[in-house]
Structures are given as C-alpha cells and as structure tokens.
Amino acid sequence: MVQYAGYDELIKKICEFKQDHVFKYWNELTEGERKSLLKELMSVDFASLAGLFKETQAEAGIDVDFGPAPFIPRPKNLSDTAWQKAKAFGEDHIKAGKVAAFVVAGGQGSRLGYEGPKGAYTMSPVKNKSLFQIHAEKIKKYSMKYGVAVPFFIMTSDVNHAATVAHFEENEYFGLHNKDVFLFPQNMIPSLDANGKLILSSKNSIFKNPDGHGGSLTALRTSGALEEMKKRGIDTLSYFQVDNPTVNIVDPVLIGYHHIEQAEVSSKALIKAYPEEKVGSFVRWKDGREGVVEYSDLPKEKMFEKNADGSLTYAPGSIAIHLFSREYIERITSGRELSLPFHVARKKIKSYTPEGFIEIDGFKFEKFVFDALPLAKKSLIIECLREEEFAPVKNASGIDSVESSQQLMSDLYKSWVRARGIVLPDAVKVLEISPIVAVAPEDLPVGMKIPAEEKVYIG
Ligand code: UD1
C-alpha cells in the first residue's frame, strides 16, 4: 500500500473500494504529481461511484405510469387575446431587466468532427458565424430592442472552458459588454471501466466527464451566478442548448405565460414529426408531476400510441428550452448539491498506458436538466413551431446536421422577409439575416431591398 503523510485515511478508503490501481505509476511520480493525484482522488465520492456501478449492472427502469402532459397550443391566429396578453406581459418583464439568458455549452463538437467547444463551431449559412456568435448577437439585439442589458450566463466544462473564454475574448464578446457575460465551468464526475474501476488519463490523473446539463443548476449556485442574478434583480432565467441557432432565446410570450400562470418552470414543445424522433417527450405522472422522458426511455407502445384522430398521443417533444424562476433554482439547490439521478451512457473511453492511449469500454454518468422539472410546484408547456425555433446541429450529415440547420435558418429568414412584404428576388437561394438586424420579422425595415444574388447576407 502506498504511503503519504496526511492522506492515510484516503489511501485506506481507496484500497477498501478496490481502486488502488490508480497508484500503478506511483514510483515514477514526482512529489508534485503524487500530491496532485491525491488531491484529485480526495474529491471522488467512492461510495456513490460504487452505487452507480451497481446500477449499470441492473436493468434500469423508469416509472412508466404516465400519460402525455397537457400543453398550451400555439393559436392559429397570433392575435389571440391570451397570446397577446402574455406577449405584452413578457415584453414589460424584459424591459424591467428581470430576464437573463443561460446556455449550456459544456460539450465538444466531436460528433461534428470538430475538436473544440461546440459553441465555437462555425456554421451559419452565408457568414459562417459560430453558434456562440449567433447567440451573442441575438442577446445584443434584445438589449437594443428592449433598452436593457440582458445578462448572458454560459456554462462550460473543464474540457472546453479555456477555449470558450478565448473564443469570446478574441472576438471582443461579439459586441456584448464583458461585464454582462458570465462564463463558468460545470462539475466533472469520474467515468468507470467495464469492471467499475477508475480509468487513468495520465500517470497521475483519472478520467472524468462533465456531469451532464443537469449539473447546470448546481453549477449556477456554486459559481456565484445565482447570487449575481439576485444582485441584478433577475428573476427569470431562459435556458437553452448551444446547438440550436434558431432558438428564440428571450421569448416574451413564454415569459408572459410563465408569470401570469405563476409557474416555476416553463418549457417549449414542438409536435414530433414522427414517433421515433430523437427528442424527449413531455409527460404527466399519475401523481400530477410533469417532466420529460428521453426518447430512448419511452416504451415502444407509448412511442407509437395514437389518439382517435390519428395524431400521436405523445406528440409534444422537448427542444430543451426552459424558463426557470431564479427562486425555484435557489430552492431546489439550497442543499448545494441537487440530487438528480445519474443516467448511464456506455462509451468508448481513452485510457492511458505508457505506450499510448487505448480505447476501452466504459461508463459515463450524466444528470439531465429535465429531471428537475417534476420538482416544480407548477410548470407549464407551450407549443412552438419547428420551422421557427428548432434547427439543431448535432450530426455531421443527415438529420439534425449542419446542412439541415443551414437550410432551416435560410428558410426562416426568407419567411420573415415575406411576412414583412419585402420583395425576395428568385435568384436568392440562401439568405442569412444578422440577429443585429432582426430577431423577429417585425424588426425588418419595411421597404428593405434584397439584392438578386445567390447568397445574400443582411447585416
Ligand atoms: C437533447 C435532449 C433531448 C432534446 C434534444 C433537443 C438530453 C439527454 N436530451 O438531446 O431530450 O429533445 O436535446 O435538441 O438532454 N451539455 C453540457 N454539459 C454536459 C452535457 C451536455 O453543457 O455535461 C450541453 C451540450 O453542450 C448541449 C446540450 O447540453 O448544448 C445537449 O446535450 P446533448 O448531449 O447534445 O443532448 P442530445 O442528445 O442532443
């Protein structure tokens, strides 16, 4: 057994949990390296990890005693009184400086073949802007439109924090004041190999993965972000994923409904295009709690279940856009670590050997933010349209790819132009409108001229 003054208890525990292979290279380590390994191991919750590994060996099941969650349908005619009332309420709320934007961006662009923060991936159809640039420019536009700063909270992870900060600094925060942009990393959790053992990522460190976007709620507290919001008088946080360039980040209608109905969490739903679409389903359990069941967990019979009119029973799908009340996050994280369940993903993991890395089978553990939804005393869901708010960039090709996202963006901008009665020349195949010009059709100046070119950027 290795020895190191002051760490006897820890070393004993590591041996008890049969994880002492982490000391395999102990004799080759310098004093500093030994200390850094021990410090890292100090933060590991060995008992919880053992419990998680046990769960990987059992057949995981979810409570399937649920039906579809009710939602507020999007009216055919947007002049609908309740819709307009919500919009007006929401606009006043934004103008009062009570709303902040929050993006979860702890992931890498690996699925796109890009080894950097996913948010730094450049993809807009004409200007090739990064996802972060698109989001930041929208936020700048909201600030201009509503005459108030909309703070931008960005959750990164240890894997991409430095690169994300560099992306914002090199680009001068895309026109935002850096005092209104808050970047903070989420927590990490060790991964395990197929036998439940910690995996070495070097001679003196263990492999960890970000703890999932469900870790964001705890990270908001531990990073001081919640405190900052309180200081600024923010009571509503608009949560979204970095991979969706058409997200309506600050939506007055959603904000209005959220406050009028006194919800703690409000979410956006779209009607699923087909039963197996890879979005979570909104459900309501027997005891009245509402939440999301991930597509991979939705039982097949429910996935294909239909209403009498032939429509899907579990039609409302989650696009991971939620509005959280600040006080709700404060309440559920008051014990600091919010205990949401961990979901297990079987992944190939790079394990260190002196001859180079080898890929082994392992388990990564992640929390999902939507598991916090059932903790809300009151929640609501409103319908939105795919073509207006959902163009995710997840895959290198095919469904939810860069290509499909660019097409959806261009189509959306064209629809705004038409809605404003602006002439769109037939020659225009691809159109991109800078968020600084418009985040909604009504922002476009009537009488605007669009050049008859194949690719047009309005900026
Ligand atoms: C997600 C949702 C799905 C939803 C769909 C909509 C989950 C499990 N599934 O799927 O219900 O319908 O999006 O597009 O959430 N992230 C972090 N830290 C982490 C892990 C992820 O910040 O530790 C961020 C990523 O950067 C990304 C977002 O969370 O912005 C989504 O993560 P991802 O793993 O890509 O979820 P999807 O499987 O695409």
Side-chain angles (χ1 to χ4, degrees):
M1 193 162 89
V2 304
Q3 287 191 323
Y4 201 94
Y7 288 89
D8 303 351
E9 277 305 308
L10 173 69
I11 295 168
K12 204 168 129 220
K13 183 157 70 178
I14 291 169
C15 293
E16 277 166 15
F17 279 97
K18 300 195 169 50
Q19 297 285 5
D20 42 320
H21 62 289
V22 293
F23 299 124
K24 188 168 176 189
Y25 302 103
W26 186 257
N27 292 335
E28 299 168 32
L29 300 183
T30 63
E31 205 54 23
E33 287 169 341
R34 286 179 175 179
K35 199 136 191 200
S36 112
L37 174 62
L38 288 167
K39 273 202 168 144
E40 187 176 29
L41 292 167
M42 194 77 143
S43 64
V44 174
D45 184 342
F46 289 92
S48 298
L49 271 181
L52 284 176
F53 180 65
K54 237 187 187 161
E55 281 175 28
T56 66
Q57 306 303 296
E59 205 44 63
I62 61 153
D63 176 2
V64 292
D65 203 4
F66 56 70
F71 63 95
I72 300 169
R74 188 178 192 276
K76 292 259 170 321
N77 184 347
L78 294 186
S79 57
D80 174 84
T81 318
W83 198 262
Q84 285 304 322
K85 187 177 155 204
K87 189 172 181 210
F89 191 106
E91 282 170 347
D92 286 346
H93 208 78
I94 304 165
K95 284 181 196 156
K98 293 182 176 175
V99 179
F102 177 36
V103 66
V104 285
Q108 294 290 86
S110 341
R111 267 202 273 170
L112 304 167
Y114 170 67
E115 287 312 318
K118 192 161 183 183
Y121 185 72
T122 52
M123 58 71 60
S124 74
V126 179
K127 272 281 175 183
N128 206 26
K129 291 180 184 179
S130 71
L131 288 159
F132 277 135
Q133 178 168 2
I134 299 166
H135 299 319
E137 288 183 351
K138 280 188 198 178
I139 290 167
K140 173 141 175 104
K141 179 67 176 182
Y142 299 128
S143 301
M144 290 155 63
K145 196 168 162 172
Y146 297 109
V148 69
V150 175
F152 189 15
F153 292 86
I154 302 167
M155 186 182 81
T156 62
S157 66
D158 283 1
V159 186
N160 66 21
H161 184 75
T164 305
V165 172
H167 184 66
F168 273 86
E169 282 180 352
E170 280 157 18
N171 293 289
E172 295 173 351
Y173 291 81
F174 303 106
L176 294 171
H177 286 299
N178 61 3
K179 67 171 180 46
D180 294 327
V181 181
F182 303 85
L183 292 125
F184 59 92
Q186 65 184 112
N187 294 316
M188 307 285 283
I189 174 162
S191 304
L192 295 176
D193 73 8
N195 299 311
K197 302 285 185 194
L198 291 168
I199 299 164
L200 287 176
S201 62
S202 74
K203 282 182 182 174
N204 71 321
S205 62
I206 55 170
F207 184 89
K208 294 183 190 159
N209 62 273
D211 64 351
H213 42 62
S216 63
L217 301 172
T218 300
L220 281 168
R221 174 178 281 275
T222 52
S223 66
L226 276 183
E227 200 50 47
E228 179 65 30
M229 281 176 219
K230 194 171 181 181
K231 242 185 2 213
R232 288 177 170 239
I234 303 290
D235 65 9
T236 309
L237 194 58
S238 181
Y239 169 106
F240 64 104
Q241 298 191 159
V242 76
D243 60 12
N244 181 13
T246 58
V247 54
N248 189 358
I249 302 174
V250 172
D251 179 2
V253 178
L254 184 67
I255 295 166
Y257 272 115
H258 179 80
H259 286 279
I260 291 167
E261 299 290 327
Q262 299 188 325
E264 289 190 311
V265 184
S266 298
S267 308
K268 291 257 178 115
L270 52 69
I271 301 302
K272 275 164 56 172
Y274 49 94
E276 311 92 315
E277 184 171 8
K278 289 187 172 173
V279 291
S281 290
F282 284 107
V283 308
R284 178 184 272 181
W285 281 277
K286 277 274 146 56
D287 58 7
R289 289 171 307 130
E290 288 179 3
V292 172
V293 169
E294 187 59 336
Y295 49 83
S296 45
D297 289 329
L298 190 67
K300 278 272 172 315
E301 63 277 12
K302 288 193 187 288
M303 191 178 274
F304 290 92
E305 195 179 316
K306 293 207 168 139
N307 299 313
D309 65 1
S311 60
L312 283 176
T313 306
Y314 291 87
S318 169
I319 50 171
I321 297 176
H322 308 289
L323 215 57
F324 292 111
S325 291
R326 192 200 74 233
E327 285 181 354
Y328 161 78
I329 305 177
E330 282 172 353
R331 175 165 70 75
I332 64 171
T333 61
S334 60
R336 290 190 83 81
E337 178 66 32
L338 173 61
S339 109
L340 296 179
F342 275 103
H343 297 253
V344 183
R346 287 183 158 72
K347 292 270 161 95
K348 292 276 180 209
I349 296 172
K350 287 196 171 108
S351 169
Y352 173 84
T353 74
E355 294 76 41
F357 286 95
I358 50 164
E359 280 211 334
I360 60 165
D361 290 323
F363 299 106
K364 286 187 179 178
F365 304 99
E366 283 193 335
K367 291 178 182 176
F368 294 167
V369 76
F370 51 68
D371 285 329
L373 269 54
L375 306 177
K377 289 181 193 144
K378 167 107 204 234
S379 58
L380 67 83
I381 302 158
I382 72 170
E383 185 195 356
C384 66
L385 298 182
R386 175 188 308 270
E387 54 272 30
E388 289 183 354
E389 304 193 34
F390 190 54
V393 186
K394 295 189 191 280
N395 308 311
S397 57
I399 296 173
D400 296 343
S401 62
V402 181
E403 204 183 325
S404 64
S405 179
Q406 288 174 335
Q407 182 72 51
L408 284 161
M409 288 175 84
S410 176
D411 291 348
L412 175 65
Y413 299 136
K414 286 181 185 175
S415 76
W416 289 0
V417 165
R418 290 192 198 100
R420 276 306 252 182
I422 298 165
V423 178
L424 183 67
D426 287 344
V428 180
K429 295 282 171 278
V430 188
L431 179 65
E432 178 175 342
I433 297 176
S434 167
I436 300 294
V437 175
V439 286
E442 67 264 22
D443 301 334
L444 288 175
V446 189
M448 198 175 86
K449 292 270 172 298
I450 302 207
E453 290 160 18
E454 198 179 318
K455 286 187 169 198
V456 174
Y457 173 73
I458 313 272

